[in-house]
Amino acid sequence: MPIVKQSPSELAIHGGGPAAFDRKLPTFSPHVGDGELFASLAERMFLQSETPGTLVEEWEAALCAHLGRRNVIAFSSRSAAFGAVLFALNVEKVALPAFGHSAFCIPEHVGSQHFDVHPDSFAASGVGDAETLFALQAFGRPHKTRAESAVLYAHQSLGGDVQPARITVYELGRDELVHATDAAVAVTDDDLLAYVVRRARAQKDQGLDLKMSDAAAAMALANLGSLGRFVQGNRLRYELYAEYLEAVQGIKLISPGANYQSVVIEVSPGETGISRDGLHDVLTAENVGTAKPFEGERPLTIAPVAARLQSRLLQLPIGPGATEEAIEAICKLIELAIVRSLESPDPVRLAA
């Protein structure tokens, strides 16, 4: 059981005693589906009669049926998926949202334009003269954009609502609703494009196979059938965060996607007396894992909204590990961190 602290003087970062959690609470604890199904699928990999790649084909077919789409191409990673998509499109210049542009793994030889994003939807605000728009649906939150011909990265969106796009890439990491060892899929109704993307996937990159492994496919299949249960649990956790953070000054809880897979707050330093990074440090000292979305992206002077988001957004623990007791303790820590900073403002952190 975590310690629910009651006073700013109890915060660990200020020498107030032990951390609220006796071990690290991960930002994203992965969902676990049908273990018996996974075991039976994994066992097939050891049978001589099993053709390698069969589980991957079954996963692609199952996801096609689930999404109601014509083609699913499974990859070993997000970077492998985007590499194959870029090869298939054969474009020389792309348009990217300034917030989240690093997720698209665009190589240096491909020219790129960056556009600022809408402060609420986080969607790119323009496309310029680039040949192809690479659109971001961040945190599973759909938005309206001219993306029917775009390449869409549906970040934390599987199991939710996804806007139309020419081709959509989903990642299957531990921070996604369906966890499958960081594999990825590209989804499209364009049969010709799917054919070229599959051909690109067949080409190894420095000797590495770009195709999803059967082991990852077994995990994905075992988790796909439990999406409804995963979303229900996510929603209950989000509602707890909303209840506990409702009256906390300077903390805005970002509206969720339909799968509730991400809990994101925006920290307003002027109201809280503490920066996003300062709050991150407070929670880290209490063994609470947090994530700074798209951390490390270079700031772009042409994109003030994106720069603000990059400095203010923080993702809080989600998934089965975020119990009701844990969420209450986390929200109390956030409240106490703000009280402490308002009492003794730190000019260095406020200037960050």
Side-chain angles (χ1 to χ4, degrees):
M1 291 285 290
I3 301 171
V4 179
K5 299 191 174 183
Q6 303 297 331
S7 168
S9 63
E10 298 176 20
L11 294 174
I13 198 170
H14 301 305
F21 292 80
D22 59 3
R23 65 186 66 183
K24 179 71 174 291
L25 177 65
T27 315
F28 305 104
S29 52
H31 298 281
V32 180
D34 188 335
E36 292 185 0
L37 175 58
F38 172 72
S40 65
L41 291 169
E43 186 177 8
R44 286 170 45 188
M45 295 188 297
F46 298 92
L47 300 176
Q48 291 185 349
S49 58
E50 183 79 6
T51 302
T54 299
L55 287 174
V56 175
E57 293 174 359
E58 291 179 11
W59 157 243
E60 291 175 342
L63 191 57
C64 273
H66 176 79
L67 297 175
R69 303 296 296 274
R70 291 177 59 85
N71 302 281
V72 168
I73 308 102
F75 289 87
S76 58
S77 66
R78 169 168 46 89
S79 61
F82 277 119
V85 169
L86 277 168
F87 174 86
L89 295 175
N90 191 29
V91 293
E92 297 181 354
K93 193 173 185 180
V94 298
L96 300 169
F99 178 70
H101 62 83
S102 61
F104 297 101
C105 311
I106 304 298
E108 292 184 359
H109 71 271
V110 177
S112 60
Q113 290 179 288
H114 295 87
F115 291 88
D116 208 356
V117 296
H118 191 277
D120 295 322
S121 69
F122 311 146
S125 58
V127 295
D129 59 355
E131 296 178 39
T132 303
L133 168 65
F134 276 60
L136 171 69
Q137 180 171 316
F139 316 123
R141 303 168 68 246
H143 54 75
K144 293 182 179 179
T145 187
R146 292 174 292 174
E148 290 80 2
S149 62
V151 176
L152 175 67
Y153 173 36
H155 172 249
Q156 296 181 329
S157 299
L158 192 59
D161 296 327
V162 178
Q163 67 179 71
R166 184 179 182 190
I167 188 165
T168 301
V169 173
Y170 297 91
E171 194 171 13
L172 305 175
R174 65 183 296 117
D175 62 331
E176 304 285 343
L177 196 67
V178 173
H179 178 215
T181 64
D182 295 319
V185 294
V187 181
T188 181
D189 289 330
D190 186 328
D191 294 338
L192 178 58
L193 178 59
Y195 172 76
V196 181
V197 170
R198 286 188 184 277
R199 284 187 59 192
R201 185 184 64 175
Q203 307 300 316
K204 291 189 175 183
D205 181 14
Q206 298 180 355
L208 298 177
D209 196 344
L210 301 182
K211 188 176 182 180
M212 186 183 197
S213 69
D214 278 327
M219 181 181 291
L221 284 165
N223 286 331
L224 184 63
S226 300
L227 285 189
R229 174 168 59 86
F230 295 164
V231 173
Q232 183 180 18
N234 278 350
R235 180 170 183 170
L236 292 174
R237 285 181 280 270
Y238 180 88
E239 290 173 348
L240 286 170
Y241 275 113
E243 176 184 347
Y244 288 123
L245 293 175
E246 182 178 11
V248 179
Q249 179 175 327
I251 298 295
K252 176 186 176 183
L253 186 60
I254 302 300
S255 60
N259 63 5
Y260 294 87
Q261 179 57 22
S262 188
V263 173
V264 187
I265 58 172
E266 182 176 351
V267 183
S268 177
E271 297 181 60
T272 61
I274 190 171
S275 68
R276 184 277 307 272
D277 290 346
L279 181 57
H280 161 81
D281 293 343
V282 169
L283 294 176
T284 298
E286 303 288 353
N287 279 334
V288 177
T290 61
K292 302 174 185 178
F294 310 110
E295 184 176 12
E297 290 188 337
R298 65 184 185 276
L300 300 168
T301 57
I302 62 170
V305 175
R308 176 175 62 80
L309 294 174
Q310 288 169 355
S311 68
R312 291 190 176 191
L313 296 185
L314 192 67
Q315 290 181 279
L316 301 178
I318 192 66
T323 63
E324 181 174 357
E325 294 80 9
I327 292 172
E328 179 183 8
I330 292 166
C331 294
K332 190 64 177 180
L333 290 169
I334 294 172
E335 181 181 359
L336 295 177
I338 292 172
V339 170
R340 173 63 181 252
S341 294
L342 291 175
E343 290 176 347
S344 308
D346 183 337
V348 175
R349 279 192 281 175
L350 285 177

